[in-house]
Amino acid sequence: MKTPFGLLDTSAPENRRPGAALVAGIVAGLSSGAVKMGWESLFPPRTPDREVPPVTFLKQRGIDPDEYTYTYNGNQVPWGVLAVHFGFSVVTVAAYSVAAEYFPKVKLLGGAAYGIGAFVVAHEIVLPRLGLSPSAKDLPVEEHASEFFGHIAWLLEAEVVRKATRLAIAGVPDADIRVETVAKLAGAARAALGR
């Protein structure tokens, strides 16, 4: 189906592998959640006096984030906070991965466009409405910048892992890539190299 600018064009049904896409999204969500966490350690989005949204989220539900920890190398690690952080990443990236199986333009700019959309929805709209952060207009520019670019890095990495994992599971490239075209290009390359 053709739509304006191809934004809602769909892939060929026979090329779709939604199960492989879901598993790939879960794997990519876990790996990219670690990337986002690393990004935030380099560019902390919040000032030191503000707690991270997963902590606030748990406290709002009557859960003490410091109660649920594990010890690694002498450090107390809050697994409840990690569960919220990685849970958000896995759900969001799995949705991205399955959506990309049907609507290839979801992968626009290597996933960066989806990352920007996730930033806007989560940090500019949802988190303030849930009381997990101040209103977007009251946040410092450093927080907006860290979260904006962090979400781009998050989805760029997720897209690389999603694509590789899907290929490993399904044995064929993304649903919007024509396998015959790839095979012809590979054949032409082999012929050009004299093999």
Side-chain angles (χ1 to χ4, degrees):
M1 174 173 114
K2 297 291 181 192
T3 60
F5 307 107
L7 292 178
L8 296 176
D9 287 3
T10 57
S11 61
E14 63 275 9
N15 294 341
R16 297 178 190 147
R17 306 291 187 280
L22 179 61
V23 172
I26 292 168
V27 171
L30 289 169
S31 68
S32 63
V35 166
K36 182 71 165 69
M37 202 172 251
W39 177 274
E40 290 183 0
S41 70
L42 294 171
F43 304 101
R46 278 158 288 287
T47 55
D49 60 317
R50 280 198 31 235
E51 60 190 17
V52 295
V55 169
T56 307
F57 177 81
L58 291 171
K59 286 180 178 178
Q60 284 178 345
R61 279 137 192 87
I63 301 169
D64 179 4
D66 296 325
E67 184 178 339
Y68 301 100
T69 63
Y70 65 92
T71 303
Y72 181 81
N73 197 23
N75 297 287
Q76 291 300 112
V77 182
W79 70 261
V81 173
L82 292 177
V84 173
H85 173 81
F86 281 97
F88 172 80
S89 183
V90 166
V91 168
T92 306
V93 174
Y96 163 79
S97 184
V98 172
E101 198 70 15
Y102 293 86
F103 303 100
K105 288 292 184 183
V106 166
K107 301 179 293 185
L108 188 66
L109 302 175
Y114 187 92
I116 293 168
F119 157 72
V120 170
V121 171
H123 290 274
E124 303 290 304
I125 300 169
V126 175
L127 291 180
R129 288 194 178 162
L130 293 176
L132 299 173
S133 76
S135 172
K137 66 179 178 48
D138 297 328
L139 297 174
V141 68
E142 294 88 353
E143 183 164 348
H144 290 290
S146 174
E147 292 292 1
F148 178 81
F149 291 110
H151 277 71
I152 291 173
W154 172 53
L155 255 295
L156 288 173
E157 190 275 346
E159 172 57 14
V160 170
V161 173
R162 179 207 65 80
K163 189 182 294 187
T165 305
R166 184 199 182 280
L167 177 60
I169 294 169
V172 292
D174 281 354
D176 60 316
I177 297 175
R178 298 186 184 210
V179 177
E180 311 82 44
T181 304
V182 173
K184 285 180 188 175
L185 287 173
R190 280 193 295 276
L193 295 171
R195 295 181 183 176

